[in-house]
Amino acid sequence: MVRPSAKVVLISAIASGQGKTTTTAALARKLVKLGKTVRVFKTGPDFIDPMMLERACGSPVHSLDLWMVGQADSEGMLARAALDTDVILIEGVMGLYDGNPSSADLARAFGVPVVAVLDASAMAQTVGALAMGLRDFGPVHLAGVIANRIASEGHAKMVAAAMRDIPLLGSLRRQEAALPERHLGLVLPQEVDHIEAILDAMADSLELDMPAWDALPDTSFELREHASQHISQSAANLAGKTIAIARDAAFAFIYPANIECLIGLGAELIFFSPLADEAIPPQADALYLPGGYPELHAKTLTQASNWLASLHAAHTQGMPVLAECGGMMAITEGLVDKQGQSWPMAGILPGKVIMQERLAALGAQAWNTSQGELRGHTFHYSRFETILTASSHTIKHTTQQQGEAIYRVGNVCASYFHAYFASNPAATAALFLRNLT
């Protein structure tokens, strides 16, 4: 059996907000500038961080998750990446031991060493205590620490002296130009001025101990058949079907694996932009409206007459439509933004969406369809007030309690739930056929 190998590290921290994404992006760009081939993965469900990390390393960033993606498919992606890659970086989620499964669980499952990013801006020697706690609690193989938000060379030396037997692999100075954020995370990279210059500056400010980095061992993986790409001959498929996918700043949250799954099912994909007032392509057999930021582009969407007319025509003709989170928000009767201003939306679903400051839902969930369990997640800051009765609900992974509502209006299927298509290709195919299940 082939066992490809590469230098692999999982980049984690004690909590969110320590600078994992900034550090992972800086490290990826620095290694690329040093002539290395770099692949980056993201632990758990996420859309925005992978977009930024893709800009940093130059290749698509897939999600790894022992539950949503599955251990076999996660290892398969790592193994195929290791075939032609020098370095694989895996950005963790939240703190190292947070969640079920956690980033530590993933690192242990594949024998991947951990690099801890620790915000040293308000401490010095205590960084060493935090590092030892992260190493010993699990335990995990803690390969080293990158100290973030270092104020000076002297500050970095104090941190290094406190590390004892844990290597200080690098330090990252405080950034004048940081990656901007909004309510769902980072601002989309295409919306950030001079993003390439910012990434280059972050890479240049990362002081990396190259001998210590080069000394990190390689990790090998078993190369098996990728289960999610194996489509049963008896399963429903999308051969000969054309799926139109909205893709722009308002509809940007699409797993790369979802695209790959639809292609693997035989579908032809056509992308279009409602924000640019593009109509649904006439050859489309089905429509996919992924999540995104419709609340930030509500005025433009209300004025997109070609898009709106084509949507209503498609709905009248019974075209299968899958609308996820932001996609669902855009086809309701109205949206109230964070400033309290109301905007008319497409009006396919009765009711209105109201943005709020407090997080409404977050976590892994599963939808038990007639084709089996379709896994995914939810993450939103709005609520949907509607007279519709849900046709079903997802189930929260950790508690098994009722999750997001699934709404059906004609051939429209809408929910806050983001599905990970590769977890059940047959259920995915059924969503885009006229006989929705």
Side-chain angles (χ1 to χ4, degrees), residues 235-236 368-373 424 426-428 430 437:
N368 292 316
T369 76
S370 62
Q371 299 287 336
E373 185 179 74
N424 190 330
T428 296
T437 57

Side-chain angles (χ1 to χ4, degrees), residues 138-159:
V140 294
H141 174 201
L142 186 64
V145 167
I146 296 178
N148 190 25
R149 303 183 181 117
I150 290 292
S152 65
E153 184 177 346
H155 187 195
K157 288 181 178 179
M158 284 190 287
V159 170

